[in-house]
């Protein structure tokens, strides 16, 4: 019987840019679920450490175009697109926290 197992992933720039290109027309692509998990994980860690989430009031999960644009915009604005060492696991939480900060108390 299949079993669930934890997997430690790191997704370097060239890999995730290729994944974004392939997933951009497929709302059911696993990448979007992974991105959602990265956002949720960032919030969980923030709540554990500070008692407050770091990312609030995001766009709808189904809006993959907006997700892709948000990630790419952050990469360009922060000059990370040229950084071969940037990882999806850093880029996604930082891009979402930048776009959707929690400003209320």
């Amino acid at each position: 019987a299949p079993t669930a197992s934890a997997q430690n992933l790191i997704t370097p720039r060239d890999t995730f840019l290729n994944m974004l290109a392939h997933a951009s027309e497929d709302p059911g692509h696993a990448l979007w679920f992974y991105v959602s998990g990265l956002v949720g994980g960032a919030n969980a860690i923030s709540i554990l450490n500070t008692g407050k989430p770091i990312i609030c009031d995001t766009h709808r999960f189904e809006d993959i175009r907006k997700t892709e644009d948000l990630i790419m915009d952050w990469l360009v604005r922060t000059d990370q697109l040229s950084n071969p060492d940037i990882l999806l696991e850093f880029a996604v939480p930082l891009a979402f926290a930048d776009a959707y900060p929690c400003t209320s108390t």
Side-chain angles (χ1 to χ4, degrees):
T3 59
S5 61
Q7 186 172 2
N8 293 325
L9 291 177
I10 57 167
T11 314
R13 180 196 66 187
D14 295 344
T15 302
F16 78 71
L17 290 177
N18 188 38
M19 290 172 69
L20 279 171
H22 284 92
S24 67
E25 300 300 322
D26 182 3
H29 195 282
L31 176 66
W32 307 123
F33 294 92
Y34 187 54
V35 165
S36 177
L38 291 172
V39 171
N43 265 345
I45 294 299
S46 179
I47 290 167
L48 283 172
N49 285 310
T50 69
K52 298 178 184 176
I54 191 171
I55 301 163
C56 291
D57 302 319
T58 66
H59 61 271
R60 294 179 50 84
F61 171 78
E62 295 82 9
D63 194 347
I64 62 171
R65 177 75 60 203
K66 191 162 188 170
T67 299
E68 182 180 9
D69 289 348
L70 185 147
I71 295 167
M72 292 304 297
D73 177 66
W74 183 84
L75 289 168
V76 170
R77 282 187 305 102
T78 60
D79 200 28
Q80 292 300 309
L81 196 57
S82 62
N83 178 358
D85 297 323
I86 189 66
L87 302 173
L88 182 67
E89 291 76 12
F90 292 139
V92 166
L94 292 171
F96 271 80
D98 182 60
Y100 301 108
C102 299
T103 55
S104 61
T105 57

